[in-house]
Amino acid sequence: MILVIDCFKLVKGAGKSIGIYNLALNLVRNLVAEKARSNDSAVQNTRILVFGTEQNANDFKMDGVEFISMKYNPLNKLFCIIWELFLAPFYAKKYKADQIVYPRGFASMLHLMKETIIVHDMIPFYYDKHYPGFFNKLENFYIMWRLKASIKHCDKVITISEASKQEILGYTCVSEEKIEVINNGCNLINPLENQKQDYFIAITSGLPHKNAEGIVKSYEAYYKRVERPLPLKIIGIADCEEFLVSPEVKAQITCYKYIASNEEMHKMIADARGFLFLSLVEGFGFPPLEAMQLKTAVICSGISSLPEVVGDAALLVNPTDYEEVAVAMEKLSQDEVLREELIQKGSKNVERFTWDRIVKQYWKALVG
C-alpha cells in the first residue's frame, strides 16, 4: 500500500495549528518506528509518503519517509484552499497512492482514493454558538462547512476523544461506525528534579474557551477563603487587568504571555504545588498530562474531553463555579496526602497515552 500523509499546509509557528503540526509530526515519526519493528506484513509493505514544503522539510524529511516537497507557498490562503479542495488528491494519484490522510481534518472535493481525516475538535461550532463574531464570520462559516463536508464524504474519521466523537455526531449526520477514537499520543518529558515551592500555576490563553477569566476569578475566591493564600502564576496571558480583581489579589498573580523555553516552563510546572486547567471545551487537552508527568497535582475542568484524559488522577471541578474551584485549591494546598495521591495516580494515568500504544491503533485503522 502507498500511504500519503498531507502535511503541505503545516508550518511551525504559523496560524493556530501548532497542536496539529505536532500531532502530524509525532504520527509520522511513530508510524515509521512501528513499521520498523512490526511483524505485520501489511504494515511492513506500506510506503509512507509525506507531502510537505521547504518550510517543514527539516522536521518531516526523515528515514523511512519519502518526503515530497511541493513548490508552492503554504502561507498563501487562497492557494491552500485550492490545495485542499483539489490538488492534494491529484498529486496523491500521481504518486499512485492507495490512501491519503489529512491531519488537519479537511478532505478533498475529489475522491480519487481512500481518504482518512483526523478531526481534533468541533470548536468552530462552539464559537458559532457561544461567541458569534469573535472570529471572522466568513472564515468560521467556511471552516464549519468544510468540516461537515469532509466528515460526510471521507471514508474514515479519526478523532482524539470520545467527547469529540459525540460532538461530531451531534453536528453531522454520519454513521457512528465511520468514526474511530484514537487518543493523542503524549511525548515523554525528561524527569526534572523538582523543588516544590508555594504557588499554583495555570495554563490558558486569550481565547474565550481557555477561560482565563475563570482562572483569575477562581483565584480571587480562593484568596478570600484562606488565611495564607498561595500566589498564582498564569502562563498564556500578559496581565489580568480586564478581569477587574482587587489590587491585593492582583499583587498575588504573575502573568507570562509566552515562555519560549520548554525547559523553563516545565520547571515552573514541576516546582508548583498545584496546576490549574479550567478550559470550557477541549478536543483532548495536553497540559494536565504534562503536569502529571512533572509530578504536580492537577485541578481540571470536569467537562468536555478532560475527564477522559485525566481519569481519576485530578480534582475535577466546574470551571464556571469559582467557589467550587476555590475549595479545590484550598484542599490541594493544605492536604499533602491528597497531593501525593494525585501525583501517583497522575504518573500511572500518563501511561495510557504513550505513543507505543497509540501508533498501533493508527496502523490498525489505516491498514486493518
Side-chain angles (χ1 to χ4, degrees), residues 321-346:
D321 187 332
Y322 308 147
E323 286 298 330
E324 182 179 331
V325 180
V327 170
M329 294 175 71
E330 179 182 15
K331 189 184 299 184
L332 197 62
S333 65
Q334 297 177 359
D335 192 336
E336 185 175 352
V337 173
L338 174 62
R339 288 199 305 272
E340 287 303 316
E341 179 184 339
L342 291 175
I343 289 169
Q344 294 303 317
K345 287 182 175 180

Side-chain angles (χ1 to χ4, degrees), residues 228-256:
R228 296 180 180 176
L230 303 184
L232 173 66
K233 297 181 180 183
I234 304 177
I235 298 173
I237 56 173
D239 58 61
C240 56
E241 292 281 350
E242 65 182 293
F243 305 123
L244 304 177
V245 294
S246 69
E248 295 79 14
V249 172
K250 185 181 173 186
Q252 294 297 308
I253 300 175
T254 306
C255 296
Y256 304 83

